[in-house]
Amino acid sequence: MPPKKKEEPTKKVILGRSSNTLKMGLVGLPNVGKSTTFNFLSKLAVPAENFPFCTIDPNLAKINVPDKRFEKMCEVHKPKSKVLAQISITDIAGLVKGASNGEGLGNAFLSHISAVDGIYHVVRAFPDEDIIHNEGELDPIRDIEIINFELRAKDLQQIEKEFGVVEARIKRSQGLEKKNDEFEMELLHKCKALLTDGKHIKDQDWLPKEVDILNKHLFLTSKPVIFLVNIGMDQYIKKQNTWLPKI
């Protein structure tokens, strides 16, 4: 008997788009430290003032990623040129409650998030009466929920538009093409139910075929998120920030 063929490992399809340069967006409420964080990462000096919407047009910086392995390879092979990996960081204007309905810089803010691959969610967890908080009292959990709600709301708006587009395709398609369109419609309904339930698309396990379709839509809640918690130096040294465990 001929030997059995080895089973090919299932190819994992990653949710989200891939590119040569990772694009990350700094996201958060006004006055939480996004521009200050951007300046620290980029070594630039964009305005970081104590009032909402100090940033209107997004600031962009491409930052070299330090890598000791890269340095070692350069020592061994002595290339004529050295090009470090880069990450692209965008400082996006602060989001406010109701942004998905156009409040503040709403739609512009959300369109800037659409252009990035992932989100750095900057959360303010330091008390300072001299720095205005858009929602009044300090409450990082509430702030996170505001951002998450607005991202879900915008995705739900997009899904409602997509329903009409896919429905029109189903009416005029046939055979396999029709089945694919119907599958996409079912997937959009699944996403709507997930978002309505307060969950994000990135937190669900999806089949490769589903991921292929989701990657066409680039929903805001499908993007990976890293939380950057902004606390005071004293709180960091003394490890006395009551918000960190909750976050």
Side-chain angles (χ1 to χ4, degrees), residues 19-240:
S19 60
N20 292 332
T21 302
L22 179 65
K23 299 176 183 176
M24 297 293 292
L26 285 163
V27 171
L29 293 179
N31 287 1
V32 296
K34 295 184 306 300
S35 294
T36 302
T37 303
F38 178 83
N39 286 338
F40 173 77
L41 291 171
S42 65
K43 305 295 188 290
L44 297 176
V46 303
E49 303 294 341
N50 183 23
F51 57 85
F53 308 120
C54 169
T55 301
I56 297 179
D57 295 324
N59 297 300
L60 175 66
K62 288 190 176 181
I63 303 163
N64 288 334
V65 180
D67 191 337
K68 290 182 179 179
R69 297 169 301 173
F70 174 80
E71 293 171 7
K72 185 65 179 177
M73 292 294 286
C74 288
E75 286 178 13
V76 173
H77 296 285
K78 296 181 172 50
K80 292 180 180 179
S81 63
K82 302 176 184 179
V83 181
L84 279 164
Q86 286 190 328
I87 182 171
S88 177
I89 307 284
T90 304
D91 178 22
I92 299 172
L95 174 148
V96 296
K97 189 184 294 182
S100 56
N101 293 319
E103 294 294 327
L105 299 175
N107 292 323
F109 168 92
L110 293 163
S111 68
H112 295 150
I113 298 179
S114 295
V116 301
D117 305 317
I119 294 170
Y120 284 141
H121 187 158
V122 183
V123 184
R124 175 178 167 181
F126 66 89
D128 191 330
E129 293 180 359
D130 294 330
I131 299 179
I132 301 165
H133 194 294
N134 201 67
E135 292 296 318
E137 295 180 355
L138 179 69
D139 187 341
I141 304 302
R142 174 207 57 213
D143 296 351
I144 291 170
E145 289 172 350
I146 287 173
I147 298 287
N148 286 343
F149 176 85
E150 296 302 331
L151 296 180
R152 292 195 302 270
K154 196 63 181 179
D155 279 351
L156 283 168
Q157 290 176 14
Q158 183 181 342
I159 285 173
E160 291 297 333
K161 292 179 183 177
E162 296 296 340
F163 279 153
V165 174
V166 178
E167 181 65 34
R169 290 209 312 260
I170 290 172
K171 288 179 179 178
R172 63 175 182 264
S173 61
Q174 294 180 348
L176 181 59
E177 186 180 350
K178 189 180 189 72
K179 285 184 179 180
N180 289 336
D181 290 335
E182 289 172 342
F183 181 82
E184 182 170 354
M185 180 65 84
E186 289 175 12
L187 179 59
L188 289 173
H189 278 289
K190 191 186 293 187
C191 289
K192 181 178 179 180
L194 195 69
L195 294 165
T196 304
D197 198 33
K199 298 175 183 175
H200 287 199
I201 291 170
K202 69 180 176 63
D203 299 325
Q204 183 77 2
D205 291 327
W206 302 103
L207 297 171
K209 185 178 179 181
E210 293 173 322
V211 172
D212 280 335
I213 295 170
L214 291 173
N215 284 347
K216 292 191 302 181
H217 295 287
L218 295 174
F219 293 116
L220 301 183
T221 61
S222 70
K223 299 177 186 297
V225 178
I226 295 174
F227 288 95
L228 304 181
V229 184
N230 191 358
I231 64 175
M233 181 58 75
D234 288 344
Q235 296 171 314
Y236 175 75
I237 293 171
K238 296 175 183 178
K239 295 180 170 51
Q240 293 178 346

